[in-house]
């Protein structure tokens, strides 16, 4: 049973990577940094070729996670290449993402074991079911957002916090010290907002005398200094700027200078009323029940609820900023679900309790299915560039300009299949002289006048209706993308003709609306 539950977590995360292999612009820094480490190496002579010098972004980001991911992925890539399963650079992107997903899945498997020890086997099973029927955590944990790198040490810290006997009233100092060190490392290197999780946890530990203030200061200083030294040494080297602590730079830019407000400001309650329910789905009400029933759950959730309150004080809010709380809330939800399904089935309340859990899990599955389908259709740039590589596979001397929308929705460096650099073994069997051009702010007329450009992956909405050089191009393919879900109210009227007819038509009550996003154009 234990191995089967672990396999379910791994397979679910791998399935998401396979169904949606492309990436968005917010993932691009770490993805391209991993690409550059893999393709060029980390020698001083290679740094000038790195993508971040061309597209640095608003603030510098750390290379620590990307370097580690590249080194681990390289071992897997060598094995896959030796077995003959590596045929294109786009395969490398999938493998890199599978490696990251696997590391995060391994953390969840460890956490499941701790839950089994602390709360019982049934609760650990329900934790897996709830986690795998939610969408965001498993879909995104194989994506190269800084938050997903930070998820590794934060979930390991949660594992250490949970991993104790059922009747234990406090975590041991042996576990608390590495918990604090891991959160400090994650906050210093990957995501500064984790200081807002560390604060309530430290306060809880001091107030309840889990650990002495002296030992906390000692652990904090040692882990803080080592983490700062690591990120400063690594990132100053890769960015060629000394001294550079990227996360401190990001905090100053976004919080002190308030530049994060440029991406929008949300009300204080947004995390509680919008983002958290979206992340948890049916685990939200179940986690409340779990907290009411079990003091161990309340103790566990307290720092995480405090974290959400504190981060709510920042104006700019995104669900990924609180992704770290999902496993903890899922533990609470599993405890609540366990109580419901173990009520005596001889009573009406017991039967209704069991059915309510089944209904909530079915609602999870339905919501996750819809979210997954819309997400898979939301990467037109990746789909367009992959199709472009396939359609023109035998063409030499191709110079394609990639529009902004395409670059932001999946046209990553790993999809530059016919241009150097190449991973060992991928240099032959295809053109090697293509140019993939992402120059920004070029008008359609300017692209037409530039005779060296042979192809465009252009935004449909940016094309002129007539003139402006449109006659110089021939459409090759059109790539569509997700717009919205459309509710067909007429389907419900089919129940008037008969119950079974109406039931059969329910599968069409929601339809996905798609529209043309990108077009592949060829000169002439």
């Amino acid at each position: 049973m234990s191995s089967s539950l672990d396999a379910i977590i791994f397979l679910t995360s791998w399935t998401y990577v396979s169904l949606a292999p492309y990436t968005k612009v917010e993932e691009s820094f770490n993805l391209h940094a991993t690409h550059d480490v893999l393709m060029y190496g980390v020698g001083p002579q290679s740094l000038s070729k790195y993508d971040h010098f061309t597209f640095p972004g608003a603030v510098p980001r750390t290379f620590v996670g990307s370097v580690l991911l590249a080194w681990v992925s390289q071992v897997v890539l060598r094995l896959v290449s030796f077995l003959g399963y590596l045929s294109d650079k786009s395969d490398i992107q999938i493998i890199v993402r599978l490696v990251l997903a696997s590391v995060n899945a391994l953390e969840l498997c460890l956490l499941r074991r701790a839950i089994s020890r602390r709360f019982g086997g049934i609760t650990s099973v329900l934790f897996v079911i709830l986690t795998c029927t939610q969408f965001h955590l498993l879909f995104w944990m194989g994506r190269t957002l800084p938050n997903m790198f930070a998820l590794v040490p934060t979930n390991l810290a949660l594992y250490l916090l949970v991993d104790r006997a059922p009747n234990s009233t406090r975590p041991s100092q042996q576990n608390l010290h590495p918990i604090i060190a891991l959160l400090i490392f994650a906050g210093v290197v990957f995501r500064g907002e984790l200081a807002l999780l560390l604060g309530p946890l430290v306060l809880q530990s001091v107030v309840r005398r889990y650990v002495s203030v002296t030992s906390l200061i000692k652990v904090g200083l040692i882990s803080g200094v080592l983490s700062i030294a690591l990120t400063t040494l690594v990132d100053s080297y890769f960015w060629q700027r000394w001294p550079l602590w990227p996360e401190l730079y990001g905090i100053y830019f976004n919080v002190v200078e308030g530049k994060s407000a440029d991406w929008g400001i949300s009300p204080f309650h947004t995390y509680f009323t919008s983002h958290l329910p979206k992340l948890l789905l049916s685990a939200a009400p179940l986690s409340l029940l779990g907290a009411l029933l079990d003091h161990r759950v309340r103790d566990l959730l307290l720092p995480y609820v405090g974290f959400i309150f504190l981060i709510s004080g920042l104006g700019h809010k995104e669900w990924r900023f609180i992704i770290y709380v999902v496993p903890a809330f899922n533990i609470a939800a599993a405890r609540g679900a366990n109580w419901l399904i173990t009520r005596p089935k001889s009573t009406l309340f017991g039967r209704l309790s069991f059915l309510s859990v089944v209904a909530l899990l079915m609602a999870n599955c339905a919501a996750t299915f819809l979210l997954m389908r819309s997400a898979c259709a939301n990467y037109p740039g990746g789909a367009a560039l992959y199709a472009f590589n396939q359609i023109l596979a035998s063409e030499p001397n191709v110079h394609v300009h990639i529009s902004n929308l395409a670059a932001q929705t999946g046209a990553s460096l790993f999809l530059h299949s016919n241009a150097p650099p190449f991973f060992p073994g991928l240099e032959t069997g295809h053109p090697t002289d293509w140019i993939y051009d992402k120059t920004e702010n070029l008008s359609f007329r300017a692209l037409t006048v530039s005779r060296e450009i042979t192809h465009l992956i252009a935004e449909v909405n940016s094309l002129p209706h007539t003139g402006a050089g449109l006659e110089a191009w021939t459409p090759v393919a059109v790539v569509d993308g997700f717009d919205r879900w459309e509710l067909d109210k007429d389907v419900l009227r089919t129940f008037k003709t008969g119950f079974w007819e109406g039931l059969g038509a329910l599968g069409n009550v929601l339809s996905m609306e798609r529209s043309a996003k990108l077009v592949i154009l060829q000169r002439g």
Side-chain angles (χ1 to χ4, degrees):
M1 174 64 112
S2 178
S3 299
S4 299
L5 292 171
D6 293 344
I8 290 170
I9 295 173
F10 275 96
L11 290 173
T12 305
S13 63
W14 292 347
T15 300
Y16 282 135
V17 174
S18 302
L19 291 174
Y22 309 120
T23 58
K24 285 287 184 72
V25 63
E26 56 264 32
E27 305 163 56
S28 63
F29 171 77
N30 283 299
L31 186 72
H32 290 169
T34 305
H35 168 278
D36 293 341
V37 172
L38 280 170
M39 299 296 184
Y40 299 119
V42 297
Q45 72 281 359
S46 303
L47 294 184
S48 61
K49 304 172 187 176
Y50 276 36
D51 182 72
H52 68 287
F53 290 117
T54 305
F55 300 101
V59 294
R61 290 296 183 191
T62 183
F63 269 81
V64 172
S66 299
V67 171
L68 292 172
L69 179 59
W71 287 349
V72 175
S73 299
Q74 193 162 48
V75 177
V76 181
L77 287 166
R78 298 289 182 186
L79 176 61
V80 172
S81 180
F82 174 77
L83 295 174
Y85 293 116
L86 195 65
S87 60
D88 189 85
K89 276 205 286 189
S90 59
D91 296 336
I92 302 176
Q93 175 168 305
I94 294 174
I95 291 170
V96 164
R97 290 192 51 216
L98 285 172
V99 169
L100 179 59
S102 299
V103 173
N104 274 311
L106 180 62
E107 300 284 328
L108 291 176
C109 293
L110 287 174
L111 181 57
R112 185 201 62 76
R113 283 168 166 76
I115 295 166
S116 182
R117 181 185 175 195
R118 178 76 166 152
F119 297 100
I122 296 176
T123 301
S124 75
V125 171
L126 290 166
F127 169 81
V128 172
I129 295 173
L130 284 164
T131 300
C132 290
T133 57
Q134 291 167 338
F135 174 73
H136 285 83
L137 179 62
L138 266 66
F139 180 85
W140 282 90
M141 73 184 194
R143 298 185 168 276
T144 52
L145 288 169
N147 313 77
M148 302 308 140
F149 287 98
L151 201 59
V152 176
T154 53
N155 276 347
L156 185 55
L158 178 58
Y159 158 74
L160 293 172
L161 193 61
V162 175
D163 188 31
R164 47 194 160 116
N167 58 351
S168 171
T169 58
R170 60 173 60 205
S172 66
Q173 283 201 15
Q174 184 181 357
N175 279 6
L176 260 178
H177 289 166
I179 288 169
I180 293 163
L182 285 164
L183 291 177
I184 289 173
F185 168 75
V188 166
V189 176
F190 296 117
R191 293 299 306 182
E193 70 260 15
L194 284 167
L196 303 178
L197 174 59
L198 177 66
L201 181 63
V202 167
L203 183 61
Q204 182 188 45
S205 301
V206 171
V207 169
R208 297 191 175 179
R209 298 182 181 179
Y210 297 159
V211 66
S212 68
V213 175
T214 305
S215 66
L216 275 177
I217 293 172
K218 182 179 178 181
V219 171
L221 283 175
I222 293 173
S223 55
V225 169
L226 290 176
S227 299
I228 293 169
L230 173 66
T231 187
T232 302
L233 289 171
V234 170
D235 294 309
S236 296
Y237 171 75
F238 280 102
W239 285 92
Q240 295 291 285
R241 293 163 58 181
W242 178 265
L244 178 64
W245 175 3
E247 205 50 36
L248 180 63
Y249 189 104
I251 292 171
Y252 182 80
F253 179 87
N254 288 311
V255 180
V256 178
E257 293 188 335
K259 295 296 180 65
S260 63
D262 295 345
W263 284 268
I265 295 177
S266 302
F268 181 88
H269 59 77
T270 301
Y271 283 128
F272 290 101
T273 58
S274 177
H275 294 316
L276 194 59
K278 180 171 68 175
L279 290 170
L280 297 179
L281 299 179
S282 66
L286 288 172
S287 63
L288 288 174
L289 177 61
L292 288 172
L293 292 170
D294 196 328
H295 69 89
R296 297 171 300 174
V297 170
R298 292 193 294 274
D299 291 344
L300 178 67
L301 285 185
L302 189 59
Y304 290 91
V305 174
F307 164 68
I308 300 173
F309 267 108
L310 291 174
I311 201 171
S312 294
L314 300 176
H316 180 62
K317 298 175 177 64
E318 296 183 35
W319 64 263
R320 60 191 176 96
F321 298 162
I322 61 165
I323 189 70
Y324 327 104
V325 310
V326 173
F329 274 87
N330 281 350
I331 294 172
R335 180 67 185 89
N338 184 12
W339 184 84
L340 287 172
I341 67 171
T342 53
R343 297 307 90 202
K345 304 304 182 295
S346 57
T347 65
L348 177 62
F349 177 75
R351 292 192 291 273
L352 290 175
S353 296
F354 183 85
L355 289 174
S356 68
V357 173
V358 173
L360 287 170
L361 292 175
M362 289 177 64
N364 258 18
C365 292
T368 296
F369 176 75
L370 294 176
L371 288 167
M372 181 269 294
R373 282 201 61 200
S374 58
C376 291
N378 212 18
Y379 298 88
L385 188 51
Y386 183 82
F388 180 83
N389 290 333
Q390 299 299 310
I391 293 168
L392 301 169
S394 60
E395 294 286 330
N397 304 316
V398 168
H399 184 147
V400 57
H401 180 268
I402 299 168
S403 69
N404 187 48
L405 176 63
Q408 290 188 349
T409 58
S412 73
L413 292 179
F414 282 110
L415 270 69
H416 293 192
S417 299
N418 299 318
F422 296 104
F423 193 78
L426 297 180
E427 306 93 338
T428 59
H430 56 83
T432 59
D433 59 352
W434 286 18
I435 297 174
Y436 297 86
D437 184 351
K438 295 181 180 177
T439 306
E440 298 177 326
N441 302 318
L442 293 179
S443 67
F444 189 80
R445 183 181 293 276
L447 292 168
T448 303
V449 170
S450 183
R451 301 297 299 179
E452 69 271 13
I453 296 176
T454 60
H455 297 80
L456 303 177
I457 299 179
E459 300 173 28
V460 170
N461 293 336
S462 70
L463 296 179
H465 296 293
T466 57
L470 188 60
E471 66 282 353
W473 302 95
T474 302
V476 175
V478 176
V479 177
D480 63 7
F482 174 77
D483 285 331
R484 62 188 175 276
W485 286 102
E486 191 72 27
L487 178 64
D488 187 354
K489 298 178 181 178
D490 292 334
V491 169
L492 300 178
R493 296 194 181 100
T494 58
F495 279 99
K496 294 180 179 179
T497 61
F499 175 78
W500 295 111
E501 290 82 356
L503 200 62
L506 279 179
N508 301 317
V509 71
L510 278 178
S511 60
M512 182 188 292
E513 295 292 315
R514 303 167 70 114
S515 64
K517 303 296 182 184
L518 297 167
V519 59
I520 299 173
L521 299 173
Q522 180 170 309
R523 190 178 290 276

